[in-house]
Amino acid sequence: MSDFRMLKVLDTFQAVFRKLDIDYNLMRKILEIKLTMDGRRIPTILSQNSKKKEGNQFLKSLWIYALYGLTLIPFAFFGDNYLFQMSIITGIAMFILMTSMISDFSSVLLDVRDKIILNTKPVNSRTINAAKFLHVSIYLILITGSFISIPAIVFLFSKGFIYFLLFLSGIILIDLLVLAFTALIYMFVLRFFDGEKLKDMINYVQIVLAIAVVVGYQIIIRLFDVAGFEYVYNFSWWHVLIPPIWFGAPFELVLNQNYAFEIVVLSSLAVVAPILSIFIYYLLMPSFERNLQKLMEQSSTKKKHRRTLQDLFERLICFSSEERAFYRFSSIMLSREREFKLKVYPSLGMAFVFPLIFLFNNLSYQTLDELGQGKLFLSIYFSNIIIGTVVYMLQFSAKYKGAWIFKTTPIQKHYIVYSATIKAFLVKLYFPIIFILSIIYIWIYSFRILPDLAVIVVSALLLVLIAYKIYNNEKFPFTEPIDSAQQGGGATGKIILFMIIVGIFAFVHGIISLIPYAIYGYLVALIGLTIILWKRILK
């Protein structure tokens, strides 16, 4: 088993551990138990498949990282501008490794079982900390090895030994930076907040990272100007804050012999920043271990209910006390359940980002005034595509075993439960996104697009009903296990169908906008159709 082969490799360095006052035999036993237990845990990358699995699931997931590694190869052949190509390659590598650290190894970095079990035994803290550090390092080495093995071999034979050596060194430094940066973030949050805040933060970091890959590519590519078919790099001071540029600079320095001051500075950061971050992490590790105690404490402060804008929306859109009760219940589920947010909130982020990316891309060859005269405001329909995904996900929950509450509650009208849930989704998740996008679009296109924005919002209400009709399996919301929310088979087909329907709405809107004043008649027709279909479809 590969886990234990790693331990055999460690055996050759046991003299070094003993010189550092670490009980090597005990540390090895702790590691062996941890690795055995981890073999039974399903990694996030395989969690979409809800079937029962046997064997070490982490090792079985490594082939997926190997497939991810194939995406690095094409970028290495983008001419001789090593700074550009390696910034893209290291950006992808950092994203994959950082996501893996946060999604799968937060439980390792934040393991409090050591506190409960090992602190009652004659084990010194140095041994426990070494076991924890090596525990994370072993998995990081396995993931990194799977991820870069194929690209590294390709680079060795196609680009030469120096390129291969620089690539390997850069990946090692990226590993150090990722490990230290993740731990330092957790350390900072634990220093000032309680354990519940940290769990929420981990959830939101996972969500932000899922969105950051889309935005990150746009930022990195725009650091370079295209001259002919070559990418020309123009340095700005804020580039020192973008780590992928650091790790691309040594290739430019060594292979292109570019000794410009900014290239030297960026190359120095690629070496100094990871080593310095690991050293800071080592110095602060005792404080980190003390603050981990907060994860064992539950926040007992109760917040007093205050009347908010949410209460106003609740009274305006819910027409019975029964519906208001389920609206409040759904609002809490949508905002507090971490597993649901992890699956749904990245889609919401994409709904916000994609329309802006379309605008941003056009600004590369149009002025803001020219853009404001066109009809690219229809790109806001991209924010409606996520409606299908969210309505589909409303039936799932990590707390699905509490579904018995629907059976015992004297519900008069069963359709009210889904009606309230859909309204909670619109108020809590959809309307904030469309409101912010509308402000940006009005700033670019002026108030002339207000009728168009109204049509887009009413279309969203109609699309919610269509999505409900497509996905509804006549079960109460939040009553299916979230692990069964696979985006495969029939679900994928339905999502594609819904995207086509959104595209049809956008196309019809574009045609209507060519006819003077027709947009107002279209808006009235959509409102009437939505009112008629709301109760009919939900019933």
Side-chain angles (χ1 to χ4, degrees):
M1 201 173 174
S2 296
D3 289 344
F4 299 105
R5 289 196 198 106
M6 294 291 288
L7 293 181
K8 289 177 181 177
V9 173
L10 276 180
D11 289 342
T12 59
F13 300 98
Q14 55 184 295
V16 176
F17 288 105
R18 290 195 172 98
K19 285 182 180 179
L20 294 172
D21 193 27
I22 293 170
D23 188 333
Y24 179 77
N25 292 333
L26 193 53
M27 183 194 74
R28 194 185 192 283
K29 179 59 67 176
I30 293 170
L31 271 174
E32 186 176 341
I33 294 171
K34 284 177 176 287
L35 294 172
T36 302
M37 295 295 292
D38 287 344
R40 302 168 187 173
R41 177 174 56 86
I42 298 176
T44 301
I45 201 167
L46 292 180
S47 63
Q48 294 296 322
N49 191 344
S50 59
K51 295 180 180 179
K52 185 177 179 181
K53 304 177 180 70
E54 295 180 357
N56 192 312
Q57 299 307 309
F58 175 77
L59 295 180
K60 291 180 180 179
S61 72
L62 293 179
W63 69 271
I64 299 179
Y65 290 101
L67 289 179
Y68 286 164
L70 297 178
T71 61
L72 303 181
I73 297 174
F75 295 104
F77 299 94
F78 281 13
D80 293 328
N81 192 324
Y82 295 113
L83 184 60
F84 171 72
Q85 61 181 244
M86 292 312 299
S87 295
I88 298 290
I89 288 172
T90 54
I92 296 171
M94 288 188 72
F95 171 77
I96 295 293
L97 295 172
M98 181 71 83
T99 304
S100 300
M101 279 293 296
I102 293 178
S103 63
D104 281 324
F105 303 133
S106 294
S107 58
V108 175
L109 282 171
L110 307 173
D111 193 356
V112 293
R113 291 174 296 180
D114 295 351
K115 298 281 183 185
I116 299 170
I117 299 172
L118 296 177
N119 284 5
T120 61
K121 306 296 186 293
V123 185
N124 64 45
S125 60
R126 192 181 290 262
T127 301
I128 296 174
N129 292 339
K132 178 174 288 188
F133 181 81
L134 289 171
H135 186 196
V136 180
S137 300
I138 285 171
Y139 279 115
L140 198 54
I141 289 168
L142 290 173
I143 286 181
T144 305
S146 302
F147 182 59
I148 70 161
S149 293
I150 298 175
I153 293 170
V154 172
F155 296 161
L156 176 61
F157 289 100
S158 63
K159 295 289 187 177
F161 181 73
I162 296 178
Y163 191 104
F164 166 79
L165 198 62
L166 286 172
F167 176 70
L168 211 59
S169 303
I171 292 295
I172 293 171
L173 290 168
I174 286 172
D175 274 346
L176 293 176
L177 184 65
V178 164
L179 176 59
F181 184 68
T182 306
L184 289 171
I185 288 175
Y186 293 159
M187 195 179 301
F188 175 80
V189 176
L190 277 175
R191 175 69 179 81
F192 297 102
F193 302 102
D194 59 19
E196 287 301 310
K197 282 284 191 299
L198 181 62
K199 292 172 186 175
D200 288 335
M201 189 218 69
I202 294 170
N203 191 239
Y204 285 114
V205 168
Q206 290 171 317
I207 293 164
V208 168
L209 284 175
I211 300 168
V213 65
V214 178
V215 181
Y217 290 148
Q218 299 292 324
I219 292 174
I220 292 174
I221 289 172
R222 279 167 177 75
L223 296 179
F224 301 84
D225 295 326
V226 181
F229 291 101
E230 293 293 325
Y231 287 91
V232 180
Y233 174 66
N234 296 308
F235 177 76
S236 296
W237 67 267
W238 54 271
H239 293 179
V240 299
L241 304 176
I242 304 177
I245 301 293
W246 304 348
F247 298 102
F251 290 81
E252 185 73 13
L253 180 71
V254 175
L255 298 176
N256 279 344
Q257 297 181 353
N258 184 347
Y259 301 115
F261 175 73
E262 59 269 18
I263 299 297
V264 174
V265 170
L266 293 170
S267 300
S268 302
L269 284 172
V271 177
V272 173
I275 295 173
L276 183 62
S277 59
I278 280 288
F279 181 69
I280 293 172
Y281 169 59
Y282 174 77
L283 291 178
L284 296 178
M285 187 179 283
S287 173
F288 180 46
E289 293 298 318
R290 285 194 302 271
N291 286 321
L292 278 179
Q293 188 71 27
K294 293 182 178 181
L295 289 176
M296 301 165 62
E297 301 168 358
Q298 297 294 328
S299 180
S300 59
T301 56
K302 294 183 179 179
K303 296 181 180 179
K304 293 182 179 179
H305 177 73
R306 295 178 181 176
R307 296 209 170 271
T308 62
L309 197 59
Q310 292 290 335
D311 295 325
L312 177 61
F313 278 119
E314 177 188 315
R315 293 190 174 276
L316 287 175
I317 65 177
C318 297
F319 306 113
S320 67
S321 58
E322 188 178 47
E323 189 176 23
R324 283 194 289 272
F326 285 113
Y327 175 87
R328 286 192 293 271
F329 165 75
S330 301
S331 298
I332 291 170
M333 293 294 290
L334 292 174
S335 60
R336 294 187 186 177
E337 189 174 346
R338 295 187 179 101
E339 291 82 359
F340 179 87
K341 290 195 291 185
L342 186 57
K343 289 185 179 290
V344 171
Y345 279 29
S347 299
L348 299 174
M350 299 299 180
F352 180 77
V353 168
F354 271 120
L356 298 181
I357 287 177
F358 271 86
L359 294 181
F360 194 62
N361 285 338
N362 277 58
L363 283 174
S364 61
Y365 58 85
Q366 280 184 309
T367 66
L368 197 61
D369 290 336
E370 290 172 340
L371 184 64
Q373 299 303 314
K375 293 188 179 297
L376 197 63
F377 59 81
L378 292 176
S379 62
I380 204 172
Y381 269 100
F382 276 98
S383 62
N384 285 351
I385 288 178
I386 55 98
I387 288 172
T389 302
V390 179
V391 172
Y392 169 70
M393 289 299 301
L394 288 176
Q395 59 189 309
F396 301 103
S397 171
K399 307 291 191 297
Y400 68 95
K401 291 182 180 179
W404 56 268
I405 193 70
F406 292 114
K407 303 291 185 182
T408 59
T409 304
I411 303 172
Q412 300 294 324
K413 299 175 182 177
H414 286 72
Y415 76 88
I416 282 180
V417 180
Y418 240 110
S419 173
T421 304
I422 288 173
K423 289 176 181 178
F425 150 62
L426 289 169
V427 172
K428 297 280 290 185
L429 304 181
Y430 177 76
F431 286 153
I433 291 173
I434 205 70
F435 178 73
I436 297 172
L437 284 175
S438 296
I439 292 174
I440 297 172
Y441 274 65
I442 289 171
W443 175 64
I444 296 173
Y445 293 95
S446 77
F447 286 97
R448 72 180 177 88
I449 66 166
L450 275 178
D452 297 280
L453 293 175
V455 165
I456 291 168
V457 172
V458 177
S459 298
L461 299 179
L462 197 53
L463 286 167
V464 167
L465 298 176
I466 294 171
Y468 173 81
K469 194 66 177 176
I470 292 174
Y471 298 115
N472 179 42
N473 56 7
E474 300 193 1
K475 292 185 178 181
F476 286 113
F478 310 114
T479 56
E480 294 292 305
I482 201 162
D483 289 338
S484 64
Q486 299 180 62
Q487 298 291 321
T492 301
K494 290 177 180 179
I495 288 173
I496 293 172
L497 172 62
F498 186 81
M499 289 180 177
I500 293 171
I501 293 171
V502 175
I504 292 171
F505 270 85
F507 178 76
V508 172
H509 189 160
I511 297 297
I512 293 291
S513 64
L514 297 175
I515 306 170
Y517 304 108
I519 193 71
Y520 298 100
Y522 184 49
L523 176 60
V524 172
L526 282 177
I527 293 172
L529 185 61
T530 303
I531 292 172
I532 292 170
L533 293 181
W534 186 269
K535 284 192 176 182
R536 287 192 178 183
I537 289 181
L538 288 175
K539 283 183 179 179

